[in-house]
């Protein structure tokens, strides 16, 4: 069995390598992302292992099918970057890691909220320069505030529990609400109108693309704080920027960005960034951007590697795989 592993980072190799070796799976690690040009690297492999910013569209899938690839193994939960029906039509099975640590992502969402609210990012820079002034660092108590959670699946629920621990009131929107739960569901407009903090935890689909847009700016409570650890394209970043400039949005903390594929996971510190929206957002004192790192805990990496290797073994070995995605 042979696997082409795209968009490899050092931490991937550290956790994956022993597991591939133990399973006697040969693996070729590539730093580059899977796209039309680099699909050729999968020639002779049974599986490709990809992450959130690899491109797995019809053209790439055509090439993978031609090279004899049988499995596209996503080492993540979201699968918006893979044309699954097309892959299936070409006889390729797509598998993912549906849950590896909802805690990792939910805790990062809370870390972002605490940081942006209490301005830890600015305080850290100041005290390193022996500037001990507090001017401009005022936050607000989370206790008693209303958080609107959009998407109440595995991660959204852990985030709800964390928020409850802070004494926050939780309201939520989900297209498929769990009526057996005690979650206080509202319509999306109600959540937008009532929440002091909005946190996004639903997948990117045709329905959710730009679900936060220019129209939403007029619906939200003035002074709302926005947290997104889900997928960048849930939020129209230009609309977000406008809301921030109009002082309608108090602050935003983003682990994901619609056009992140061109930038995230790379050291571009010496480069000119072409994306004016991203540059403007990063330049704002009330915005934090992290580079799609919410998943990055040792527990999550370990679970991702274990499940991905077992997914590949099952499918290539002709077994039924519980983590196959069908839509
Ligand atoms: P999940 O599948 O357990 O929950 C998703 C929830 O969203 C479900 O309750 C579903 O009913 C709801 N939903 C579906 N369509 C919706 C719509 N149109 N409007 C509102 N809600 C809708 O997924 P999980 O594990 O909680 O992950 C959520 C998302 O977090 C993933 O789709 C992924 O995009 C993102 N994620 C981000 C990571 C990061 O490192 N930043 C890591 C892992 C996941």
């Amino acid at each position: 069995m042979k696997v082409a592993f795209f968009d490899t980072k050092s931490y991937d190799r550290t956790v994956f390598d022993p597991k591939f070796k133990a399973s006697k799976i040969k693996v070729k690690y590539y730093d580059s992302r899977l796209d039309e040009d680099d699909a050729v690297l999968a020639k002779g492999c049974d599986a490709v292992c990809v992450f959130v910013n690899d491109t797995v569209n019809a053209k790439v899938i055509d090439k993978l099918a031609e090279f004899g690839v049988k499995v596209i193994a996503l080492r993540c939960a979201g699968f918006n970057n893979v044309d699954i029906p097309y892959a299936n039509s070409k006889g390729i099975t797509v598998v993912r890691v549906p849950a590896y640590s909802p805690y990792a992502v939910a805790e990062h969402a809370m870390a972002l909220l605490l940081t942006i609210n209490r301005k830890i990012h600015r305080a850290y820079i100041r005290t390193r320069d022996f500037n001990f002034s507090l001017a401009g660092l005022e936050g607000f108590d989370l206790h008693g505030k209303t958080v609107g959670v959009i998407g109440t699946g595995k991660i959204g629920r852990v985030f709800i529990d964390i928020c409850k621990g802070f004494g926050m009131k939780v309201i939520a929107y989900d297209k498929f609400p769990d009526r057996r739960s005690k979650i206080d569901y509202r319509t999306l407009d109600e959540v937008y109108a009532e929440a002091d903090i909005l946190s996004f935890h639903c997948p990117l689909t045709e329905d959710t693309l730009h679900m936060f847009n220019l129209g939403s700016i007029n619906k939200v409570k003035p002074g709302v704080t926005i947290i997104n650890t889900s997928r960048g394209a849930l939020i129209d970043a230009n609309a977000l920027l406008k809301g921030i400039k109009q002082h309608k949005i108090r602050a935003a903390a983003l682990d994901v960005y619609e056009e992140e594929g061109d930038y995230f996971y790379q050291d571009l510190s010496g480069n000119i960034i072409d994306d004016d929206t991203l540059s403007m957002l990063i330049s704002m004192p009330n915005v934090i951007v992290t580079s799609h790192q919410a998943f990055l805990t040792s527990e999550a990496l370990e679970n991702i590697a274990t499940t991905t290797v077992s997914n590949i073994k099952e499918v290539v070995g002709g077994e039924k795989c519980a983590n196959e995605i069908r839509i």
Side-chain angles (χ1 to χ4, degrees):
M1 224 183 272
K2 203 170 162 197
V3 177
F5 197 105
F6 288 90
D7 202 9
T8 312
K9 303 290 177 245
S10 55
Y11 48 81
D12 289 321
R13 228 179 148 136
T14 308
V15 285
F16 271 91
D17 224 23
K19 296 191 197 305
F20 278 129
K21 279 197 181 112
S23 299
K24 298 194 168 42
I25 297 176
K26 286 189 188 141
V27 57
K28 280 288 239 180
Y29 293 101
Y30 297 111
D31 292 345
S32 57
R33 289 188 183 148
L34 176 59
D35 59 16
E36 262 184 80
D37 294 332
D38 283 342
V40 67
L41 299 172
K43 223 173 191 168
C45 290
D46 303 286
V48 290
C49 185
V50 297
F51 197 47
V52 292
N53 289 320
D54 290 286
T55 305
V56 201
N57 57 22
K59 284 182 178 163
V60 172
I61 290 166
D62 277 338
K63 293 193 174 175
L64 297 180
E66 185 191 324
F67 300 145
V69 170
K70 297 176 202 69
V71 192
I72 296 167
L74 283 149
R75 52 182 191 278
C76 53
F79 47 84
N80 50 286
N81 55 332
V82 181
D83 187 338
I84 292 161
Y86 194 73
N88 291 162
S89 77
K90 292 278 166 180
I92 298 179
T93 305
V94 186
V95 290
R96 65 169 180 146
V97 187
Y100 42 85
S101 173
Y103 312 104
V105 183
E107 288 170 15
H108 191 76
M110 181 47 86
L112 287 175
L113 173 55
L114 288 168
T115 305
I116 199 68
N117 173 33
R118 303 305 299 268
K119 305 185 170 67
I120 306 296
H121 56 305
R122 300 183 65 199
Y124 172 77
I125 301 285
R126 278 191 198 181
T127 54
R128 282 181 68 87
D129 201 25
F130 301 98
N131 173 356
F132 299 110
S133 133
L134 294 185
L137 297 187
E138 186 183 315
F140 58 83
D141 286 6
L142 292 183
H143 186 271
K145 295 296 181 300
T146 300
V147 60
V149 177
I150 297 163
T152 56
K154 294 176 284 298
I155 295 168
R157 280 165 198 244
V158 175
F159 186 70
I160 288 174
D161 287 345
I162 294 172
C163 290
K164 285 190 173 158
F166 276 78
M168 301 169 82
K169 179 182 169 191
V170 179
I171 57 173
Y173 168 72
D174 196 301
K175 192 177 176 189
F176 309 101
D178 178 0
R179 295 292 175 201
R180 292 160 309 168
S181 72
K182 291 196 173 128
I183 296 170
D184 183 1
Y185 285 109
R186 309 287 176 89
T187 64
L188 184 59
D189 281 357
E190 284 168 352
V191 171
Y192 280 165
E194 286 180 41
D196 301 294
I197 296 132
L198 287 169
S199 192
F200 288 83
H201 299 286
C202 58
L204 175 60
T205 63
E206 279 175 12
D207 268 357
T208 61
L209 176 73
H210 287 187
M211 72 192 297
F212 189 89
N213 51 44
L214 271 183
S216 320
I217 308 282
N218 298 320
K219 294 177 181 170
V220 293
K221 197 167 173 179
V224 68
T225 295
I226 303 220
I227 312 292
N228 188 7
T229 54
S230 188
R231 284 293 180 267
L234 298 184
I235 293 181
D236 175 347
N238 285 308
L240 177 70
L241 195 55
K242 194 162 182 194
I244 291 168
K245 283 184 177 171
Q246 290 172 345
H247 298 264
K248 191 90 197 270
I249 293 168
R250 177 189 175 104
L254 312 171
D255 185 50
V256 285
Y257 174 68
E258 184 167 4
E259 304 298 334
E260 68 180 49
D262 291 338
Y263 304 101
F264 283 17
Y265 301 135
Q266 301 170 69
D267 179 359
L268 300 175
S269 49
N271 295 54
I272 307 288
I273 300 298
D274 269 341
D275 186 324
D276 293 347
T277 307
L278 179 61
S279 300
M280 281 291 280
L281 283 169
I282 287 175
S283 74
M284 299 277 174
N286 53 348
V287 175
I288 314 176
V289 175
T290 53
S291 180
H292 205 140
Q293 75 172 72
F295 72 97
L296 195 64
T297 66
S298 46
E299 291 83 355
L301 287 174
E302 189 64 28
N303 291 337
I304 287 170
T306 304
T307 306
T308 303
V309 173
S310 134
N311 285 347
I312 294 171
K313 266 171 43 183
E314 283 172 12
V315 181
V316 178
E319 289 172 48
K320 204 169 161 36
C321 178
N323 296 325
E324 177 178 347
I325 316 168
R326 286 179 180 277
I327 40 178

